[in-house]
Amino acid sequence: MLGLTLWTNRQSGYGAGFDDLFKTLTSFLTSQGVSLARGYVLNVYGPDGTGSHHYDTTTETLS
C-alpha cells in the first residue's frame, strides 16, 4: 500500500472537484512509474491542518 499526503492552500474541501484531483494525481504517479496495484490511501489537508478528504483504495485480502 502507498500512502499519499497532500497539503493544499484551499480553505475547504474540493467537493465535486475531488474526483478530478485524485485522477490527476494518480495519473501523474503512474506515469512516473509508481505502482498503485496494491491500492493507496490519499489524505488531503487544508492550510490549517484540518483534514478535508480521506480516500482509501487498498485491497483487502480475505482468508
Side-chain angles (χ1 to χ4, degrees):
M1 179 200 57
L2 177 67
L4 305 168
T5 302
L6 176 65
W7 289 87
T8 178
N9 62 358
R10 291 186 64 148
Q11 295 296 322
S12 61
Y14 284 83
F18 181 71
D19 288 340
D20 292 333
L21 167 70
F22 91 83
K23 287 177 186 174
T24 301
L25 180 60
T26 56
S27 176
F28 170 75
L29 290 171
T30 55
S31 75
Q32 298 299 305
V34 176
S35 173
L36 302 176
R38 294 178 52 197
Y40 60 92
V41 175
L42 170 61
N43 290 299
V44 180
Y45 297 93
D48 64 354
T50 302
S52 59
H53 288 286
H54 174 81
Y55 191 71
D56 187 342
T57 69
T58 56
T59 56
E60 183 177 334
T61 305
L62 300 176
S63 313

